[in-house]
Amino acid sequence: MTDPTDPYLIISADCHAGLPAERYRPYLEAGNHRAFDDFLGQRDARRAVRARRGIRNETSALKWQEDNEEGLRGGWDAAQRAKELDGDGVAAEVVLPGTDPVDGGVAAPFGAGLDDPEGQDPELGMAGARAYNRWLAEFCATDPERHCGVAVLPLAGEVDEAVTEIHRARDSGLGALLIPATWAGGAPFHDRRYDPVWAAAAETAMPVLTHAGAAPRHEYGGHLGIELSEAAWWPARPLWFLLWSGAFERHPGLRFGVAGAGCWWLPNLLWQMDRLYLGAHGGKKHSPFAALKRSPHEYLDRQVFVCAAAPQRRELAQRYEIGVDNILWGSNFPHPEGTWPHTGEWLRRAFHDIPVGETRRMLGESAAEVFGFDKRRLAPLAQRIGPTPEALGQPRNQAPVEACWRRARETGRHWLTGFDFPFVGVGE
Amino acid sequence: MTDPTDPYLIISADCHAGLPAERYRPYLEAGNHRAFDDFLGQRDARRAVRARRGIRNETSALKWQEDNEEGLRGGWDAAQRAKELDGDGVAAEVVLPGTDPVDGGVAAPFGAGLDDPEGQDPELGMAGARAYNRWLAEFCATDPERHCGVAVLPLAGEVDEAVTEIHRARDSGLGALLIPATWAGGAPFHDRRYDPVWAAAAETAMPVLTHAGAAPRHEYGGHLGIELSEAAWWPARPLWFLLWSGAFERHPGLRFGVAGAGCWWLPNLLWQMDRLYLGAHGGKKHSPFAALKRSPHEYLDRQVFVCAAAPQRRELAQRYEIGVDNILWGSNFPHPEGTWPHTGEWLRRAFHDIPVGETRRMLGESAAEVFGFDKRRLAPLAQRIGPTPEALGQPRNQAPVEACWRRARETGRHWLTGFDFPFVGVGE
């Protein structure tokens, strides 16, 4: 697989799909149809809220939708989607809700999905999640090798009900779980009440994801800059709640990923958590961390990953601290801030000087392992549509490429390798 | 001042002072004495809470206190403090509350200080702040050139009262303001209700600080790792609330600093805020940021700083992104995680390969400008007690030192200089 002429197997670990809202009716239990009519009736009001927040700019939203009308149907139309993925060279994908962050017209019923669970009725939230999950299972079944569907899993209600939905979702063919990033007044994610959820996720081999979206918007006073400055923090936050409370120790089969939040925050977090645990600092006044049996970075490498939608060069340059294997690239299809419909160009810009072996890990191999894609069965498609290293501008002779990152690679996580700080840069 | 044999003028921008709790009685208004007795009566309960949180480890707390009994009296005894500062080579200091984070016995009345304002009675909070501020003014008056006292300024009550306290504190000789890091259910700091506070701070030339301490502890379930993993985020958070809401645009004289939270988080934040503003990403769907007239980094360089207590080598290596002039070194005296009583050794380890000119800025010159210390009048003391560059292991010939950081310096804030990522490292 390190033959530098072989096309890449590209798996996007952060894509979105969902029906235009009104079309979820057949997927809802009949008892929720009246509530669903109310939900649909508030669509304009929700759109107005997005406009006020500054998330929805009328002009650019319309332009994006007009320019990409056909492709955007790939948000719910499986045939159109296959065409868009082919065009982008993406052989397979992890499918999350939230197709339409601009307009909000394509949203799972009752706010199930990426929205904040704050104020959501737990029963309706779960009903909306089941409807979305039923549709998603159908959608993914059109080409199950290619689509790993992420079931929406609200946690505000009874834990038993969540566990039931995990098994139902697994049986229906879905492959991962999306929990809300925030607990909206409920028990924080360190709470042992969630143990049955983590256990069921491990048992069914369904990775648990958070995704950017939920946030305490009532605190922002409509300032979009505030909202975006901390948008990654909220979905990342459950990671340290799970880690320090020993959830990864108690559930070694649990895999946890943060999506839609980049990975720029991970080196600092890991550095701090490891230092705390290893007692290099703070040991003078702090008691030990009895819930953990190993260093934070060991749990990270064993059980945690990031679905990095369109990662920046700054983030890729820090991959030896993050862990190359922990970065799962995503196209963010069909979001306007993603790489679609110009993924090929985007990949060339981002990866041209990165070693081919590492690129293979980040673009697909790690995602295949985490989400259980069958690389062998995807191989013919990847051979047909995947870009070659040459197409990404990566030189046939990889020795100089490997050499120019050598110092960064060898320094790695500097607090473990004995250096004072990382080496971020190329060349000698 | 760049003579490499000249001793350093060292100003610690993050030190702590406060009386043993029971001794604040004479500084409180008589009407609050009964409430003060109740407050003192709950001291053991507060200590037990700290022990449960894991902040207070009986064995290490006692050992730290026994080993440093004499020096720790410098927390409130001006003569002892002068001796400790002299021994550390520190000519002047910025004095915050929270002398005793381990035991909590030395705390300002009614939780005024570094604690979370959550659940604090606004009137008692302000009364406690006034008492602390009165004592602090007396304390600093023992050597006003050397101590810049930071007045505690609760914001949960009436804004008028806060403005009155700003002027009272300034008239009493104090030089800066400590606001709570969190708004505890009140209006977030983007709110225009605080404009009179920012205006008074600018008018009196009192920099406004936050300091690590406040945090939503009720969410942590007693997991110290969770608490410490996000301890820096809460005091940093007001920075983006002020910035995006235009407070720095409306109050160009306002100076704002984050203390006790390191500065490792600043490069990522600045990179993201600038990118948002400059529209490199997100422009497709987000509206502009009308409250700002310039890029976030321009406000930062003009009005924002970090009081970096015992900054790590990792943080110093990122100083060209943070801005060398924005980093104000602090010893964190008398906290156990600070550099006291071994500041000389600590400085040598941290700064030995950093250019002398930059070291001078970070160790004292920037703090002198921000807090209005009189460098000329401090010069004789600095000459007597300050370490020389040679004592920090810095070579007489600075040309090779400058050269080995050249690439990092020239890359700087890479999103402004045209590089894909920062260069963190030395050598060519």
Side-chain angles (χ1 to χ4, degrees):
Chain A
M1 285 300 277
T2 52
D3 177 345
T5 63
D6 226 27
Y8 281 107
L9 165 64
I10 301 190
I11 300 175
S12 167
D14 188 0
C15 285
H16 300 271
L19 278 177
E22 66 279 4
R23 290 166 59 178
Y24 282 107
R25 184 180 303 272
Y27 299 94
L28 280 160
E29 293 113 22
N32 293 311
H33 283 177
R34 180 166 296 180
F36 185 60
D37 289 334
D38 293 344
F39 172 79
L40 290 179
Q42 292 148 13
R43 194 153 33 161
D44 285 347
R46 283 193 298 276
R47 199 173 276 154
V49 167
R50 279 168 190 266
R52 266 202 309 282
R53 274 169 56 201
I55 288 288
R56 183 177 199 278
N57 172 295
E58 197 67 35
T59 318
S60 65
L62 287 177
K63 183 166 175 5
W64 168 253
Q65 282 167 346
E66 274 171 29
D67 289 354
N68 299 282
E69 197 183 346
E70 187 180 297
L72 287 172
R73 278 209 311 274
W76 59 88
D77 178 313
Q80 184 66 43
R81 192 177 189 93
K83 201 172 137 190
E84 302 302 328
L85 294 176
D86 285 357
D88 261 4
V90 175
E93 58 164 354
V94 176
V95 187
L96 291 138
T99 306
D100 177 9
V102 179
D103 193 72
V106 185
F110 312 127
L114 303 184
D115 286 347
D116 201 297
E118 186 79 44
Q120 192 185 78
D121 177 280
E123 280 193 37
L124 282 184
M126 185 55 93
R130 279 193 303 263
Y132 176 79
N133 296 344
R134 287 186 192 112
W135 170 76
L136 182 64
E138 270 184 31
F139 180 83
C140 293
T142 58
D143 194 346
E145 301 300 343
R146 193 166 201 183
H147 312 292
C148 174
V150 183
V152 172
L153 188 72
L155 292 177
E158 295 298 320
V159 164
D160 285 357
E161 214 181 333
V163 170
T164 301
E165 182 58 11
I166 292 174
H167 289 286
R168 205 198 59 72
R170 183 39 122 182
D171 291 343
S172 76
L174 299 180
L177 301 163
L178 175 73
I179 61 169
T182 57
W183 36 87
F189 292 155
H190 61 69
D191 199 293
R192 297 294 283 260
R193 82 185 291 272
Y194 298 111
D195 266 358
V197 173
W198 316 141
E203 186 195 332
T204 56
M206 295 175 94
V208 172
L209 302 181
T210 56
H211 189 288
R217 296 214 167 79
H218 62 278
E219 293 191 296
Y220 298 155
H223 296 287
L224 183 63
I226 297 175
E227 175 167 347
L228 296 178
S229 293
E230 56 184 58
W233 194 77
W234 298 102
R237 197 179 188 212
L239 169 53
W240 55 93
F241 276 67
L242 291 173
L243 190 141
W244 288 115
S245 63
F248 297 127
E249 179 62 36
R250 293 195 304 281
H251 307 281
L254 174 65
R255 301 296 302 260
F256 178 77
V258 180
C263 51
W264 50 265
W265 45 272
L266 198 43
N268 282 329
L269 177 70
L270 201 51
W271 169 64
Q272 289 190 297
M273 295 200 304
D274 265 358
R275 280 196 312 150
L276 271 178
Y277 186 83
L278 298 169
H281 292 267
K284 278 180 281 184
K285 72 177 184 191
H286 301 309
S287 62
F289 303 96
L292 309 194
K293 297 240 183 322
R294 56 200 79 212
S295 300
H297 78 268
E298 296 180 71
Y299 294 110
L300 191 100
D301 291 343
R302 190 174 77 178
Q303 294 174 257
V304 179
F305 56 93
V306 280
C307 299
Q312 301 293 309
R313 289 278 291 168
R314 180 183 175 94
E315 296 174 290
L316 293 173
Q318 294 180 296
R319 67 195 179 278
Y320 300 116
E321 282 189 275
I322 297 166
V324 170
D325 286 349
N326 301 327
I327 301 173
L328 280 52
W329 176 86
S331 71
N332 212 4
F333 173 82
H335 287 189
E337 73 277 27
T339 66
W340 175 79
H342 308 291
T343 296
E345 284 166 49
W346 189 96
L347 289 173
R348 189 182 173 100
R349 217 162 39 238
F351 286 96
H352 63 91
D353 63 350
I354 292 187
V356 170
E358 296 178 6
T359 307
R360 287 201 194 282
R361 298 293 306 167
M362 292 187 274
L363 289 187
E365 287 182 1
S366 293
E369 290 162 18
V370 168
F371 291 98
F373 288 96
D374 188 330
K375 286 198 292 182
R376 201 177 43 78
R377 295 175 76 162
L378 287 170
L381 177 60
Q383 287 288 331
R384 182 163 62 79
I385 64 168
T388 60
E390 190 180 6
L392 301 196
Q394 295 172 323
R396 181 76 66 106
N397 177 10
Q398 284 282 298
V401 178
E402 298 277 354
C404 84
W405 292 100
R406 186 186 57 77
R407 196 166 151 200
R409 193 170 56 243
E410 287 176 5
T411 307
R413 292 172 181 157
H414 62 92
W415 60 95
L416 302 174
T417 55
F419 292 90
D420 283 2
F421 40 82
F423 183 85
V424 180
V426 294
E428 285 304 69
Chain B
M1 283 302 276
T2 52
D3 177 347
T5 64
D6 226 29
Y8 281 106
L9 164 65
I10 300 190
I11 300 175
S12 167
D14 188 1
C15 284
H16 300 270
L19 278 176
E22 65 279 4
R23 290 165 60 180
Y24 282 107
R25 184 179 304 273
Y27 299 94
L28 280 160
E29 293 113 22
N32 293 311
H33 282 176
R34 179 165 295 179
F36 185 60
D37 289 335
D38 292 345
F39 172 78
L40 290 179
Q42 293 148 11
R43 191 150 40 160
D44 284 348
R46 283 192 298 276
R47 198 173 276 153
V49 167
R50 280 168 189 264
R52 266 203 307 280
R53 275 170 54 201
I55 289 288
R56 184 180 199 278
N57 172 295
E58 197 67 36
T59 317
S60 64
L62 287 176
K63 184 166 177 2
W64 168 252
Q65 282 167 348
E66 273 171 29
D67 289 354
N68 300 283
E69 197 183 347
E70 188 181 294
L72 286 172
R73 278 209 312 274
W76 59 88
D77 178 314
Q80 185 66 43
R81 190 174 189 95
K83 200 170 138 190
E84 302 303 329
L85 294 176
D86 285 357
D88 260 4
V90 174
E93 57 164 355
V94 176
V95 187
L96 291 137
T99 307
D100 176 8
V102 179
D103 193 70
V106 185
F110 311 126
L114 304 184
D115 285 347
D116 202 294
E118 186 79 42
Q120 193 185 76
D121 177 279
E123 282 193 37
L124 282 183
M126 185 56 92
R130 280 193 302 264
Y132 176 80
N133 295 344
R134 287 185 190 112
W135 169 76
L136 182 64
E138 270 185 31
F139 180 83
C140 294
T142 58
D143 194 345
E145 301 299 344
R146 192 165 202 183
H147 311 292
C148 173
V150 182
V152 172
L153 188 71
L155 292 177
E158 295 298 321
V159 164
D160 286 357
E161 216 182 331
V163 170
T164 301
E165 183 58 11
I166 291 173
H167 290 285
R168 205 199 57 73
R170 182 41 121 182
D171 291 343
S172 78
L174 299 180
L177 301 164
L178 175 73
I179 62 169
T182 58
W183 35 87
F189 291 156
H190 61 69
D191 199 292
R192 298 293 285 259
R193 84 185 289 272
Y194 298 110
D195 266 358
V197 173
W198 315 141
E203 184 194 334
T204 56
M206 295 175 93
V208 172
L209 301 180
T210 55
H211 189 289
R217 295 214 168 78
H218 62 278
E219 293 192 295
Y220 299 156
H223 295 287
L224 183 62
I226 297 175
E227 176 168 347
L228 295 178
S229 293
E230 57 183 57
W233 194 77
W234 298 102
R237 195 180 189 212
L239 169 52
W240 55 93
F241 276 68
L242 291 173
L243 190 139
W244 289 115
S245 62
F248 296 128
E249 179 63 36
R250 293 195 303 280
H251 306 282
L254 174 65
R255 302 295 302 258
F256 178 76
V258 180
C263 50
W264 50 266
W265 44 273
L266 199 42
N268 282 330
L269 177 69
L270 202 51
W271 169 64
Q272 289 190 298
M273 293 200 305
D274 265 359
R275 278 196 313 148
L276 270 179
Y277 187 83
L278 299 170
H281 291 265
K284 279 181 280 184
K285 71 178 186 190
H286 302 310
S287 62
F289 303 97
L292 309 195
K293 297 242 185 316
R294 56 199 79 211
S295 301
H297 77 270
E298 295 179 72
Y299 294 110
L300 191 100
D301 290 343
R302 189 174 77 177
Q303 293 174 256
V304 179
F305 56 93
V306 281
C307 299
Q312 301 294 310
R313 289 278 292 166
R314 179 184 175 94
E315 296 174 291
L316 292 174
Q318 294 180 295
R319 68 195 178 279
Y320 299 115
E321 282 190 276
I322 297 166
V324 170
D325 287 350
N326 301 327
I327 302 173
L328 279 52
W329 177 86
S331 71
N332 212 4
F333 173 81
H335 288 188
E337 72 276 27
T339 66
W340 175 77
H342 308 292
T343 296
E345 284 167 48
W346 189 95
L347 289 173
R348 189 182 173 99
R349 219 165 33 239
F351 286 97
H352 62 91
D353 62 351
I354 292 186
V356 169
E358 296 178 6
T359 308
R360 286 201 195 283
R361 297 293 307 168
M362 292 187 275
L363 288 186
E365 287 182 0
S366 293
E369 290 161 19
V370 168
F371 291 97
F373 288 97
D374 188 330
K375 285 198 293 181
R376 201 177 42 79
R377 295 174 76 162
L378 287 169
L381 177 60
Q383 287 287 330
R384 183 162 61 78
I385 65 168
T388 60
E390 189 180 6
L392 301 196
Q394 296 171 323
R396 181 76 67 106
N397 176 12
Q398 283 282 296
V401 179
E402 298 277 354
C404 85
W405 292 101
R406 186 186 56 76
R407 195 166 152 199
R409 192 171 57 244
E410 288 176 4
T411 306
R413 291 172 182 158
H414 62 90
W415 59 96
L416 301 173
T417 56
F419 292 91
D420 282 2
F421 41 81
F423 184 86
V424 180
V426 292
E428 287 302 70

